Amino acid sequence: MNTVTLKSNGALFCDGKPVMDEPLMCLGMQVALDDGVTLRSIFRMIETYPLLARLNTFFPTYIEQYREMPADGCLCDDFAYVAFGKTVEMIGYPGEPRLEIYSALKGEGGGAPCEIRNYELEHLLDMPLRLGKLRHIVFGDTVDQFEFGTVFNLFEFIDGIVWELSFHGTLRACAIRR
């Protein structure tokens, strides 16, 4: 599988060469993160390749919010980095089985994984970003959990992160007003 690398400044490199104006060609490629990549790097990538903003309806609001944030120092002390992972759940076996696959964005490196739903974007932007593992959970008579190394393509990485942020309460439009 070809690899596309995200740099901290938001630039994409495909097999060592910069992606100029055709980022859609890279969506099915395995994504790798260069040293120093943070959540801010995702927004820089969208600014560099505006066509990618059309992948998720939440992007316009997030880009607007991102542009209002401080240029650096958007950190949180509760965890060391943010990990993007994937979960596969097998449910209902024995019985009527079904399979659910979803992405997860969690704070890690401070003990147990930390949900980021209580953190505003301004506390997450400069947190280091890493690719996590695939968690496989089998729900049946007993619950079995396994973790595996995995790969993510660029599309599921971009869409998954924005999708996860939208559910974690960091989008101002979703905040409960008093």
Side-chain angles (χ1 to χ4, degrees):
M1 175 178 266
N2 290 345
T3 301
V4 60
T5 302
L6 173 61
K7 302 287 186 174
S8 63
N9 66 358
L12 294 173
F13 280 72
C14 180
D15 297 325
K17 297 176 184 157
V19 174
M20 301 310 280
D21 55 358
E22 292 293 332
L24 296 182
M25 302 296 285
C26 302
L27 288 176
M29 295 181 184
Q30 177 180 341
V31 68
L33 304 180
D34 201 26
D35 292 337
V37 169
T38 64
L39 284 176
R40 187 180 300 274
S41 303
I42 303 295
F43 293 98
R44 289 176 175 160
M45 175 184 61
I46 298 305
E47 288 183 322
T48 303
Y49 309 99
L51 185 59
L52 294 178
R54 297 176 66 189
L55 294 176
N56 189 295
T57 58
F58 292 112
F59 261 127
T61 303
Y62 268 118
I63 290 293
E64 179 183 315
Q65 186 176 342
Y66 157 75
R67 289 181 177 147
E68 296 173 1
M69 298 292 148
D72 57 22
C74 296
L75 297 166
C76 159
D77 293 332
D78 296 341
F79 40 87
Y81 60 93
V82 177
F84 178 74
K86 191 183 315 186
T87 300
V88 175
E89 293 181 348
M90 288 180 58
I91 303 167
Y93 182 82
E96 192 66 35
R98 74 179 194 273
L99 186 69
E100 294 181 8
I101 303 170
Y102 54 90
S103 57
L105 191 61
K106 296 186 184 245
E108 295 198 12
C114 179
E115 295 291 336
I116 63 170
R117 72 177 63 133
N118 297 323
Y119 297 89
E120 295 294 324
L121 187 59
E122 67 185 288
H123 300 288
L124 298 172
L125 271 180
D126 294 316
M127 295 300 297
L129 180 61
R130 295 186 185 169
L131 296 175
K133 295 189 176 213
L134 178 134
R135 231 173 103 210
H136 185 129
I137 303 171
V138 181
F139 293 99
D141 292 338
T142 62
V143 176
D144 296 312
Q145 292 189 39
F146 308 94
E147 283 194 355
F148 302 95
T150 191
V151 297
F152 302 92
N153 66 40
L154 182 61
F155 172 77
E156 67 185 334
F157 175 72
I158 295 169
D159 186 61
I161 284 179
V162 174
W163 183 254
E164 281 299 299
L165 287 174
S166 72
F167 282 102
H168 284 84
T170 59
L171 187 61
R172 285 186 194 152
C174 296
I176 298 174
R177 306 271 186 231
R178 291 182 193 215

